[in-house]
Amino acid sequence: MPHNVLMPALSPTMTEGKLAKWVKKEGDKVKAGDVIAEIETDKATMEVEAVDEGILAKIVVPAGTDGVKVNSLIAQLLEEGEDASALGKADAAPAVSATVTPANQPTAEASKPAPTMAVATPAQVKASGRVFASPLAKRIAKEKGIDLSTVKGSGPHGRIVKSDLDRAPAGASAPKAAAQGPSTFTPAASSVNAQALADAYGIPYTLTPNSGVRKVIARRLSESKQTVPHFYLTVDCELDALLALRKQLNDSMDGLKISVNDFIIKATAVALEKFPGANVSWTDDNIVQYTRADVSVAVATPNGLITPIIVNAANKSLKVISSEMKDLGVRAREGKLKPQEFQGGTISVSNLGMFGISQFSAIINPPQAAILAVGAGQERVVVKNGQMAVANVMTVTASFDHRAIDGAVGAEYLQVFKKLIENPMGLLL
């Protein structure tokens, strides 16, 4: 009897994903535990293991298909000796989210739509009464009095483009605006479609389809800024004692090198344990008070930002934090993190110091209520005992959710954090 392979739910919130790659091909023998495919979720690319043995007889969903719904059929296995006639009918398309490109949202004339994106055909456009033309072509047609319904398009999927109008006779009555659909380019509008703007002014461009990760980042950060009342506090921390201790520790170790960021992760967590009022989250009914400090660390990847977690960071040594962070960083950039390694956390750290950024403000990562934005350590002139001196100084700006954390609470937390950074021996205890 054939075994159906269904789209797995790789995280509690996953409803669909992209079937990024088939590791096995049709006809291959499969054993339980073999990796047969790679699935791209909203945060990572994860391997799918077979739970049955047999032959991969039919791949229903091809590699590269986006928006495959959880529990939809993606492949079928046959047991040894079974004939292909035993396969059930799997011709029905899986539940896949498709994006139709209407006439008022054009693509670049020289670019092709992504292979997984359904694009409206000229026949569909005619049936709906719309003209399939770029905004620039529509504007030129209106100026020259050209009836677009009489023009044959040479662009992708029959779209009428500017060059088609060079060959069209002028003077004919242009169709009414209602037949063309709504205008796509309104300079006075508060939000102008960037693609339409580029078309209208002839600005060359290419299109890069948004990855699942990028869409999630856009949605979550938009929700955060719109629904979470942020407030910001900034503190300067002197690093000279920390840099000296770091050098001493690294000189005594073989191979593993502790970074400044490892100290920051540790200090972030220890400060939460010393001042738990900032280790909270907001819900409509309760303040969630965490009893453990788990630090999410922002890592840039080719697909976008992801935040692997150092669990219980306050009770781990700098050496362990350094080792875990290196491993998590590598696997984050490869898209190989497990859901529990990047979902959760009680506070976040975003460090752009390595890029020379001296100060910035970060957006809170809900449901957390705080994030630290860490700038570069720089030599600055400071005043000590009434005298000017030079010190390495790092600026840290904390973003807090004002529903859960008041200004004074945030200030006291940063005060504890600053003391730990400037007296780092306390992080070794």
Side-chain angles (χ1 to χ4, degrees), residues 42-61:
D42 56 4
K43 283 289 186 182
T45 300
M46 304 179 70
E47 296 176 336
V48 177
E49 297 181 355
V51 294
D52 297 300
E53 293 188 0
I55 296 173
L56 184 58
K58 185 170 185 178
I59 291 176
V60 178
V61 178

Side-chain angles (χ1 to χ4, degrees), residues 27 38 40 46 73-74 90 96 145 149-150 178 187 219 222 233 263 270 282 285 335 341 343 406-407 409:
E38 292 182 358
E40 181 182 311
M46 304 179 70
L73 182 67
I74 61 174
V96 176
S149 63
T150 65
R219 185 181 73 247
S222 295
L233 299 175
F263 278 93
V270 172
W282 167 267
D285 298 319
E341 293 177 318
Q343 294 178 353
D406 292 330
V409 173

Side-chain angles (χ1 to χ4, degrees), residues 150-228:
T150 65
V151 179
K152 184 177 180 181
S154 62
H157 300 278
R159 179 185 297 279
I160 300 170
V161 295
K162 176 180 178 294
S163 58
D164 297 325
L165 300 182
D166 296 336
R167 301 183 293 270
S173 298
K176 293 182 180 180
Q180 298 181 30
S183 172
T184 60
F185 179 51
T186 53
S190 60
S191 178
V192 178
N193 184 297
Q195 201 171 309
L197 182 72
D199 273 336
Y201 288 106
I203 304 172
Y205 66 94
T206 60
L207 296 178
T208 302
N210 289 321
S211 67
V213 173
R214 179 53 58 189
K215 290 177 182 177
V216 169
I217 291 172
R219 185 181 73 247
R220 283 179 57 81
L221 295 187
S222 295
E223 290 173 356
S224 179
K225 285 296 285 185
Q226 291 168 3
T227 63
V228 177

Side-chain angles (χ1 to χ4, degrees), residues 52-337:
D52 297 300
E53 293 188 0
I55 296 173
L56 184 58
K58 185 170 185 178
I59 291 176
V60 178
V61 178
T65 303
D66 203 355
V68 183
K69 298 294 184 182
V70 167
N71 291 328
S72 60
L73 182 67
I74 61 174
Q76 287 187 307
L77 295 177
L78 285 177
E79 294 181 0
E80 289 285 350
E82 281 190 318
D83 189 78
S85 60
L87 290 172
K89 286 189 177 180
D91 296 327
V96 176
S97 299
T99 302
V100 175
T101 304
N104 66 334
Q105 292 183 0
T107 60
E109 294 173 3
S111 65
K112 295 181 180 179
T116 58
M117 184 179 292
V119 181
T121 65
Q124 291 170 328
V125 175
K126 288 180 180 178
S128 67
R130 292 179 175 177
V131 177
F132 199 48
S134 71
L136 179 59
K138 289 181 181 180
R139 182 168 62 84
I140 295 174
K142 184 176 181 180
E143 292 173 354
K144 294 185 176 181
I146 298 173
D147 185 350
L148 287 176
S149 63
T150 65
V151 179
K152 184 177 180 181
S154 62
H157 300 278
R159 179 185 297 279
I160 300 170
V161 295
K162 176 180 178 294
S163 58
D164 297 325
L165 300 182
D166 296 336
R167 301 183 293 270
S173 298
K176 293 182 180 180
Q180 298 181 30
S183 172
T184 60
F185 179 51
T186 53
S190 60
S191 178
V192 178
N193 184 297
Q195 201 171 309
L197 182 72
D199 273 336
Y201 288 106
I203 304 172
Y205 66 94
T206 60
L207 296 178
T208 302
N210 289 321
S211 67
V213 173
R214 179 53 58 189
K215 290 177 182 177
V216 169
I217 291 172
R219 185 181 73 247
R220 283 179 57 81
L221 295 187
S222 295
E223 290 173 356
S224 179
K225 285 296 285 185
Q226 291 168 3
T227 63
V228 177
H230 288 56
F231 76 92
Y232 309 94
L233 299 175
T234 300
V235 66
D236 289 333
C237 304
E238 292 190 18
L239 293 177
D240 293 302
L242 186 151
L243 293 175
L245 177 59
R246 172 177 175 262
K247 184 178 185 306
Q248 184 179 352
L249 291 174
N250 285 339
D251 287 345
S252 65
M253 291 183 181
D254 288 331
L256 187 65
K257 298 296 182 183
I258 296 172
S259 69
V260 172
N261 204 48
D262 298 328
F263 278 93
I264 292 168
I265 294 168
K266 175 83 171 181
T268 300
V270 172
L272 285 181
E273 286 211 335
K274 289 179 175 290
F275 194 79
N279 197 21
V280 296
S281 285
W282 167 267
T283 71
D284 288 338
D285 298 319
N286 302 288
I287 296 293
V288 180
Q289 177 68 65
Y290 301 110
T291 56
R292 189 179 72 193
D294 295 349
V295 182
S296 302
V297 184
V299 173
T301 77
N303 291 323
L305 196 68
I306 193 168
T307 52
I309 303 166
I310 302 295
V311 176
N312 198 17
N315 294 307
K316 289 180 177 175
S317 69
L318 289 165
K319 184 176 181 179
V320 170
I321 290 173
S322 180
S323 179
E324 288 189 8
M325 196 62 238
K326 286 179 174 63
D327 172 61
L328 289 169
V330 169
R331 290 192 290 116
R333 283 181 278 273
E334 293 175 347
K336 301 298 184 182
L337 291 179

